[in-house]
Amino acid sequence: MTMASNCLKHGVELNLYCQPCNCLICQSCCNDHSGEHHATKSLASVLREQKEIFDSVLNDTKNEGLSCKQSIQELNILKEKVQKSLSEEDKVIDRMVETRIGEILKEAQALKIELQQIGKAKVEKIEQEIDRLEKRGNKLENACHAATETVSLPNSYVTQHDSVIQKMKLLNVEGRRNLVVDKNPHAAQFVKEAGKSRKPQLGKVLKVVAPRKLQLVQELENFEDAYKVALLSNNMLAVCDSYYGSKQVVIYHQESGRYVKNMTLTLQPLNRWGPKGIAVNADGNFLIARKIGIEVYSPTGEYLKTITTRSKELSDEEVDISSLTTLSDGRILAGDIDRSIITEHDSSGKLIWMMRTKIRPFYITSIQDRQVAISDHTKNKVVILDIKSGKEALQKEIPLVQGISYDGQTESLLVVRNEGSQYQQPISRTGVVEQYCCSTGRLVTSLAHGLYYPKGVHLTADGQFVVADQSTVKLYRMI
């Protein structure tokens, strides 16, 4: 818009504003172009409007400036708070580190003392054993000296039968169970004990003592597919029936020495997976492994909660809980075959730690609360691990193991395995029960043969031996 004081054409004051032409004009200019009908405004009104616009923009600018100052103040305050918080966090971390270092030093000192005590106890035990063996050696030497007599060929041996029997009685030193005095005048029988053969000195017959056997005392029937078993106490038995079929857990209690069906647990319907393992916790509640978690039921069968085995950091990871066992202090060990780990939980179910395994823990059993044995029938292996350190104590190749249980009386593992297939027709009856030494992994003996397709085993302190054998559950007694 052109700014001038007087009209160049008419020489009078410019007092109007032509909107279409965007210029100042006088009244005479407006009259000259009256036929064009241009919209005009007085110069005073135009100046007022421009001043209002300017004032509005000026106020907005001032307000924005004030807002910027206020934001700067708030950011400075926030900066001070963050710096103060970082300083406090540094102090907290320093205190935590110092505290943990102190705890570790205390734990190390306690461990040293414990190891010294254990070493001292072992040395004392070894010295006692040396002393015992020296005394026993002296006894045996004296017995051999007293019984020394040359025995000639069998003809003279028969005539000297009474003398030989007396000499053998002298050799039968207290505690020497390998020697048997036989009334047969033609043979002095010796026993092969714990796999160690002794050469007979008299007679010609070497007798091998029969290993522990199983006596069938009861058979529970009408299962779709008995998968795993657990003796929950001296008078309660639980059976996981059909991982793929009916998906139930049947509880039995003992009456007059025999197990009678007590109830069937109604499992949570939202979990489509069947029971894959069972145990009981310190409160007497049932723990049932169902792939994605461990469901807890009261002794009356009421659902209480589900224990998760996932860590908070990996809450979306795939899991498959396939085995369970509990320790004497209430801790729970769960075998996860998807991640090949064992998770440890306290008695309430809280996750304590995880232990990686080289094989998938389809079956699990605890060994005196110090070790745990796991088996993987797909890898044909049984592994014994230390619970505290996770270190491998023993690895043994055993084909097609589908159930393990610890025998505290003989310090051995009882194993069920299948040499055939459960789908083979006719059924092959190739399931066996075997006994293996925990320290060496050596096969001690075969206890039972001719089972259909066993997939679970459990042993209690009172000698009850239970095998889940497809459509039946067999209860044996060790003899």
Side-chain angles (χ1 to χ4, degrees), residues 203-219:
K204 294 185 177 181
V205 178
L206 181 66
K207 179 181 177 183
V208 179
V209 172
R212 297 181 73 183
K213 294 182 178 179
L214 299 179
Q215 178 185 15
L216 182 64
V217 295
Q218 189 178 356
E219 191 167 359

Side-chain angles (χ1 to χ4, degrees), residues 329-349:
D329 60 0
R331 285 178 293 163
I332 305 166
L333 300 180
D336 184 340
I337 61 175
D338 256 14
R339 298 178 292 174
S340 294
I341 63 172
I342 297 173
T343 59
E344 181 181 352
H345 308 258
D346 63 17
S347 57
S348 67

Side-chain angles (χ1 to χ4, degrees), residues 110-111 114-115 118 327 329 331 333 344 353-355 368-372 385-392:
L111 184 58
E114 182 181 357
L115 289 175
I118 292 173
L327 306 182
D329 60 0
R331 285 178 293 163
L333 300 180
E344 181 181 352
W353 71 295
M354 299 180 180
M355 175 170 59
Q368 298 178 344
D369 286 357
R370 293 182 286 105
Q371 294 177 320
V372 61
L385 303 168
D386 183 82
I387 294 178
K388 285 186 177 181
S389 66
K391 293 183 178 179
E392 186 177 292

Side-chain angles (χ1 to χ4, degrees), residues 91-146:
K91 294 178 181 178
V92 170
I93 292 172
D94 289 341
R95 288 197 297 269
M96 289 174 61
V97 170
E98 291 174 358
T99 302
R100 185 55 185 154
I101 290 173
E103 292 174 351
I104 291 173
L105 292 175
K106 289 181 181 178
E107 291 174 1
Q109 185 63 27
L111 184 58
K112 287 181 181 178
I113 294 173
E114 182 181 357
L115 289 175
Q116 290 173 355
Q117 292 175 346
I118 292 173
K120 184 179 179 181
K122 285 187 176 181
V123 169
E124 291 177 354
K125 189 174 181 180
I126 291 171
E127 291 176 346
Q128 292 173 1
E129 184 66 12
I130 291 172
D131 184 60
R132 185 188 70 80
L133 290 175
E134 287 177 348
K135 291 179 180 178
R136 180 168 178 77
N138 292 333
K139 283 185 179 181
L140 291 173
E141 185 179 354
N142 294 335
C144 289
H145 179 72

Side-chain angles (χ1 to χ4, degrees), residues 19 49 120 140 156 193 205 210 334 395 437:
Q19 291 180 334
E49 290 177 359
K120 184 179 179 181
L140 291 173
S156 65
E193 183 179 340
V205 178
Q395 182 179 130
C437 177

Side-chain angles (χ1 to χ4, degrees), residues 69-113:
K69 289 182 179 180
Q70 186 176 358
S71 298
I72 291 172
Q73 291 176 352
E74 292 175 354
L75 289 174
N76 285 329
I77 294 172
L78 180 60
K79 175 184 174 182
E80 292 176 359
K81 289 182 178 179
V82 170
Q83 290 174 339
K84 183 178 179 181
S85 177
L86 287 174
S87 176
E88 292 176 352
E89 288 294 332
D90 287 342
K91 294 178 181 178
V92 170
I93 292 172
D94 289 341
R95 288 197 297 269
M96 289 174 61
V97 170
E98 291 174 358
T99 302
R100 185 55 185 154
I101 290 173
E103 292 174 351
I104 291 173
L105 292 175
K106 289 181 181 178
E107 291 174 1
Q109 185 63 27
L111 184 58
K112 287 181 181 178
I113 294 173

